[in-house]
Amino acid sequence: MTDQTAKPSFPSLPILPSAPMAKDPVCGMTVNPQKAAARAEHDGKTYFFCSTRCGERFRAEPGRFLAAPGTAGMEHGHASGTPAAPAAPAQMSSSASAKARYTCPMDPEIVQFGPGICPKCGMALEPMDVFAGDEGSDPELASMTRRFWVSGALSLPVLFLGMFGEAAAAAGISATAREFLEMALATPVVLWGGWPFFVRAWRSLVNRSPNMFTLIAMGTGAAYLDSLAATLFPQLFPASFRGMHGEVPVYYEAAAVITTLVLLGQVLELRARQKTSGAIRALLDLAPKRTHRLAGNGAETDISLDLVHPGDRLRVRPGEHIPVDGIVREGASAVDESMVTGEPLPVEKQPGDKVTGGTLNTSGSFVMEAERVGNETLLAQIVKLVNEAQRSRAPIQRIADLVAGYFVPAVVLAAVLTFFGWAFFGPQPRMAHALVNAVAVLIIACPCALGLATPMAIMVGVGRGAHAGVLVRNAEALETLARVDTLVVDKTGTLTEGKPQLARIEVFGGGKWSEGALLSLAASLERPSEHPLAQAIVRAAEERKLPLADVTEFRSVAGGGVEGRVAGKQLLAGKKEFLAERGVVPDAAGLKSPGSDNLGSSGVWVAVDGVAVGTLWLSDRVKDTAAEALNALRDDGIRVVMLTGDRKEVAAEVGQRLGIGEFHASVKPDRKAAVIEDLRKEGRVVAMAGDGINDAPALAAAHVGIAMGTGTDVAIESAGIVLVKGDLRGIVRARKLSKATIRNIRQNLLFAFIYNALGIPIAAGVLYPAFGWLLSPMLASAAMSFSSVSVIANALRLRRVTL
């Protein structure tokens, strides 16, 4: 058994200063010097640049940019200015969020104030800073949503006219009128709805970073321009490219529908990102907005949380969240610290004990002294860890952009060579042939199949997983899960049920009392109490349908127990010390250990009329399906590691039951993320399964985060995969789904590349000298559509995968 117990000092998370940033003198972008794309020396000073293009422009005219630094960036829509370090997240107002820093997940050196798009890869920037209580509005999401709905409404009739031209003719619409109608409907879709993609494509060319938006702009632009020329200047097209009635085919429906589908993808992505930020805000909102500060004379005043300073004395009442990190000075209570430790049982707090901001005071009232406030609290640091870990992940789009980096220049070169080849060596009319064949190359190279290869497989795979109780929150997690070789599991709520339950009743006193009678009395006494253990006792009695009597003279002592009269008997229930203070000495039998059936058990001693009569043992129980799931994962070659904030002895006992030989106990949230990082440095592909707020940093830091659907919202939003029923067997099903999806994606990509590899040369006219065959844009469009249909049909096979 490996015991690796971590005991970090409080606070767990150190506050690290922000790395110094530099400003690109050409465009004004904020640049991380360590990740700058280019640098230059001038007059003994080093300047850093966001792109090689900016570096080249600076070297050519340094005086121009130093005279008015950052102004040239407005040519590319960059934001200028050097962001200051963010203030304490929990203290930010909604107006402050307008000054949030945004960065690109693929190019972290790109930093600006406010939302926007990355000038390199074209992705929407995401916030680096999250503020409590600020839902905010995402102008990018609002713009894309508006463009999508308008484009969708206009694309449907274009698609109908393009696919059912005969029906339109039967309705009395001539071919010429139909073309002009399609042009009128498709033009706002392509030029207005797709305008952001053309802007991003242009920036990708300026920054010499071709990406998927370059392909999208090329495909839709080529289809639209060819159609526009066919509608306005049909005389330019030779007879061999006309239909049986002499008409020149148009491709407005392809341009419009592709634009609409890409807009839909952007809307879904931006909504998911906004939801993630909302979960982090909800975590920050665990800290109350106001608190009760005590003056030197004992007067109590309600103040805003941002007015709290270290050394202030604060009162925390039952049911309130603790405002900041500090030390209990007066009073006692039981505090639910599951947010930090994952331990479901409340922790008793006495004067001198430390308390953590955001945790819940469940019973008594106490006075605390504030120690750490604002962005120094443990809660704020957990948020920081989750935010940074989420941004550190490379999105799956990087793969497509890498392919596009080679594919786009190759397609453009093929189209240019086709144009000049036909213009100089082709038959008459040479220019018409050159134009049409070059357009055919661009249309058949439209990235429909390539763009659909991954998302279609992911879409069908996600739907199949949902039917099996596995919710996939992002494509990267589903793809990566197939390569996972190490699974790190939280204990509480993941391997165990995550809430106190009555495990065993121990009766002593010569058999005078039965277990049912003892439980009935104890539950009657505990019914008015808000303590989690009391509620568990009442719940156990109700499940056994035992009678509950009314209690009188009820009194609760924080950190001790409760007392009162039930059915004429004076009852005590609580700790041994609580009973001893009232002259009751528990029977020696009640002092023995709870036994192996009780994981991390807490005992509630019960006395009737001054005589100890028994003990109720409450504990967390291992899930019935945990052993089966872990055995299946080990058979699949997965290394299992348990990670818990609970005590060493409890972790060891759970590990022994489930065959987990490696565990880390008493681990704070920051250390959980550090354990994940250590495993990643070993070259391991790590999945983390957890359910609590304390698991969120580790879920975000792992290659794949797996959250229990019964867990907290923040854990779920930090994970890529959610198990609806909190059943670990869902991980086994998710692995099968991941492997099947990866195979399907590879098949789809093979289809897409085969079509492009064969279609581009044929569209360019390589068969013309030998056979006199040409691929008209109409056939190129049909081939492009057939490749997309093949990809979709193959992806739909995932619906029949057995999980």
Side-chain angles (χ1 to χ4, degrees):
M1 179 85 60
T2 301
D3 172 22
Q4 296 171 315
T5 303
K7 296 181 179 179
S9 59
F10 194 95
S12 303
L13 310 180
I15 308 300
L16 301 177
S18 300
M21 305 293 281
K23 182 177 179 180
D24 186 328
V26 176
C27 66
M29 292 296 296
T30 302
V31 181
N32 183 338
Q34 298 178 347
K35 299 180 180 180
R39 64 182 63 198
E41 298 285 341
H42 182 73
D43 288 341
K45 184 177 179 180
T46 303
Y47 297 91
F48 301 92
F49 307 92
C50 70
S51 66
T52 54
R53 175 62 175 164
C54 285
E56 292 171 357
R57 296 177 68 187
F58 178 83
R59 294 185 188 96
E61 300 178 278
R64 169 193 169 193
F65 298 110
L66 293 178
T71 55
M74 303 313 293
E75 301 166 12
H76 310 297
H78 294 195
S80 61
T82 304
Q91 299 178 11
M92 283 291 184
S93 64
S94 59
S95 61
S97 65
K99 298 183 179 180
R101 298 176 301 166
Y102 281 70
T103 186
C104 175
M106 290 180 60
D107 302 288
E109 69 274 10
I110 302 297
V111 179
Q112 71 175 42
F113 285 119
I117 62 174
C118 176
K120 290 186 176 182
C121 70
M123 288 187 65
L125 302 181
E126 59 183 27
M128 297 176 66
D129 311 315
V130 181
F131 309 111
D134 176 26
E135 291 300 327
S137 59
D138 186 344
E140 180 81 359
L141 175 59
S143 173
M144 288 295 179
T145 302
R146 184 168 56 253
R147 293 175 192 271
F148 165 70
W149 285 113
V150 173
S151 298
L154 294 175
S155 296
L156 284 176
V158 176
L159 183 62
F160 177 82
L161 290 171
M163 295 181 65
F164 304 103
E166 294 181 359
I173 304 176
S174 67
T176 301
R178 188 178 74 247
E179 284 188 18
F180 275 95
L181 182 57
E182 286 185 39
M183 180 184 71
L185 292 170
T187 296
V189 174
V190 176
L191 298 186
W192 177 75
W195 180 250
F197 308 140
F198 289 105
V199 172
R200 296 179 187 191
W202 172 251
R203 290 182 180 177
S204 73
L205 297 176
V206 170
N207 289 281
R208 301 177 185 177
S209 302
N211 52 53
M212 284 301 293
F213 291 106
T214 316
L215 298 177
I216 292 166
M218 285 176 53
T220 56
Y224 175 75
L225 291 175
D226 176 70
S227 302
L228 194 65
T231 301
L232 301 178
F233 309 105
Q235 66 276 11
L236 295 178
F237 293 80
S240 58
F241 292 97
R242 297 176 180 272
M244 59 185 301
H245 300 295
E247 77 281 2
V248 181
V250 293
Y251 316 100
Y252 291 117
E253 75 277 5
V257 171
I258 290 172
T259 300
T260 302
L261 290 176
V262 175
L263 284 169
L264 175 60
Q266 290 295 296
V267 169
L268 295 177
E269 176 189 341
L270 291 168
R271 280 186 178 176
R273 186 175 300 173
Q274 187 182 59
K275 190 175 181 181
T276 300
S277 298
I280 298 177
R281 290 189 189 98
L283 175 54
L284 282 171
D285 288 339
L286 284 178
K289 302 298 182 293
R290 302 184 67 81
T291 187
H292 321 293
R293 184 168 63 186
L294 298 178
N297 59 2
E300 186 175 310
T301 307
D302 282 2
I303 62 170
S304 174
L305 193 63
D306 58 359
L307 298 178
V308 176
H309 300 284
D312 286 351
R313 290 167 62 85
L314 311 172
R315 182 179 298 281
V316 184
R317 297 181 176 130
E320 293 182 342
H321 285 276
I322 295 171
V324 296
D325 298 352
I327 301 176
V328 176
R329 293 303 184 195
E330 300 175 12
S333 182
V335 176
D336 180 358
E337 292 189 333
S338 58
M339 180 198 86
V340 178
T341 65
E343 172 56 45
L345 301 178
V347 179
E348 303 293 344
K349 297 293 182 180
Q350 304 289 341
D353 291 338
K354 291 185 178 293
V355 288
T356 303
T359 56
L360 179 64
N361 179 29
T362 63
S363 53
S365 175
F366 62 88
V367 175
M368 62 172 289
E369 178 182 336
E371 280 194 325
R372 296 174 179 85
V373 302
N375 60 2
E376 293 186 0
T377 65
L378 182 62
L379 180 62
Q381 291 298 289
I382 291 176
V383 172
K384 182 172 180 286
L385 282 174
V386 173
N387 218 7
E388 290 179 351
Q390 286 178 333
R391 286 190 285 108
S392 70
R393 289 178 174 177
I396 194 172
Q397 193 66 36
R398 180 186 293 275
I399 300 174
D401 285 344
L402 181 63
V403 173
Y406 296 97
F407 184 65
V408 174
V411 171
V412 172
L413 180 61
V416 170
L417 292 177
T418 299
F419 181 86
F420 284 106
W422 282 94
F424 286 103
F425 307 107
Q428 292 293 344
R430 290 179 177 176
M431 291 304 295
H433 279 97
L435 174 63
V436 170
N437 282 285
V439 168
V441 169
L442 291 175
I443 288 179
I444 204 167
C446 183
C448 296
L450 181 63
L452 287 171
T454 296
M456 275 305 301
I458 294 297
M459 185 184 304
V460 179
V462 167
R464 179 65 185 91
H467 284 288
V470 178
L471 299 183
V472 181
R473 300 192 65 251
N474 63 67
E476 185 183 6
L478 185 60
E479 287 192 332
T480 306
L481 187 60
R483 298 186 289 106
V484 165
D485 56 24
T486 302
L487 173 66
V488 179
V489 288
D490 172 50
K491 179 186 72 68
T492 306
T494 304
L495 296 175
T496 66
E497 297 290 347
K499 58 183 179 181
Q501 297 182 6
L502 181 64
R504 185 163 59 92
I505 300 175
E506 185 176 358
V507 180
F508 35 90
K512 180 179 178 181
W513 293 90
S514 66
E515 290 187 1
L518 176 60
L519 178 57
S520 177
L521 280 176
S524 299
L525 175 63
E526 295 279 14
R527 189 159 51 168
S529 175
E530 298 176 349
H531 199 287
L533 295 184
Q535 295 172 4
I537 292 172
V538 174
R539 188 166 55 246
E542 291 174 344
E543 290 173 354
R544 301 187 187 190
K545 298 182 179 179
L546 297 175
L548 299 181
D550 293 331
V551 58
T552 59
E553 302 177 17
F554 177 82
R555 180 170 176 264
S556 175
V557 178
V562 294
E563 57 185 319
R565 296 190 69 85
V566 176
K569 296 180 173 60
Q570 183 66 33
L571 267 61
L572 299 173
K575 295 182 176 180
K576 294 190 299 290
E577 295 82 3
F578 175 72
L579 271 65
E581 290 173 358
R582 283 149 182 78
V584 179
V585 179
D587 189 278
L591 300 178
K592 65 183 181 182
S593 65
S596 60
D597 291 335
N598 301 278
L599 302 177
S601 296
S602 291
V604 176
W605 274 258
V606 181
V608 179
D609 292 333
V611 179
V613 296
T615 307
L616 305 178
W617 292 104
L618 297 106
S619 67
D620 198 5
R621 189 176 65 187
V622 172
K623 291 181 178 178
D624 296 333
T625 58
E628 176 188 347
L630 294 181
N631 289 335
L633 290 168
R634 278 190 286 261
D635 292 341
D636 198 23
I638 301 294
R639 169 187 173 188
V640 180
V641 180
M642 181 169 61
L643 199 60
T644 177
D646 211 340
R647 303 186 305 273
K648 169 186 170 182
E649 56 271 21
V650 177
E653 193 168 336
V654 174
Q656 184 177 5
R657 287 193 180 192
L658 297 176
I660 302 175
E662 183 178 354
F663 67 85
H664 303 254
S666 301
V667 184
K668 298 297 184 182
D670 64 318
R671 180 56 191 161
K672 285 193 174 186
V675 171
I676 299 295
E677 292 296 336
D678 291 342
L679 289 170
R680 293 185 62 158
K681 289 176 182 177
E682 294 176 12
R684 294 280 181 172
V685 181
V686 184
M688 168 69 190
D691 75 318
I693 293 173
N694 61 310
D695 299 317
L699 289 169
H703 290 97
V704 180
I706 304 173
M708 303 296 107
T710 53
T712 63
D713 289 343
V714 174
I716 290 173
E717 294 300 338
S718 300
I721 293 176
V722 180
L723 307 183
V724 176
K725 296 181 180 179
D727 187 345
L728 284 178
R729 290 178 299 182
I731 300 179
V732 181
R733 294 192 289 270
R735 285 265 295 178
K736 293 179 181 178
L737 178 64
S738 176
K739 292 178 179 180
T741 304
I742 290 297
R743 286 195 301 269
N744 196 274
I745 289 174
R746 289 172 179 167
Q747 294 163 358
N748 288 345
L749 289 173
L750 181 62
F751 279 131
F753 282 117
I754 287 177
Y755 281 118
N756 279 305
L758 296 178
I760 291 176
I762 293 175
V766 296
L767 299 180
Y768 184 80
F771 304 99
W773 294 348
L774 287 176
L775 185 66
S776 72
M778 182 171 59
L779 292 177
S781 178
M784 175 189 68
S785 299
F786 182 66
S787 66
S788 300
V789 170
S790 299
V791 165
I792 294 171
N794 186 58
L796 290 175
R797 294 191 307 110
L798 283 172
R799 293 185 300 180
R800 298 190 295 272
V801 171
T802 302
L803 301 180

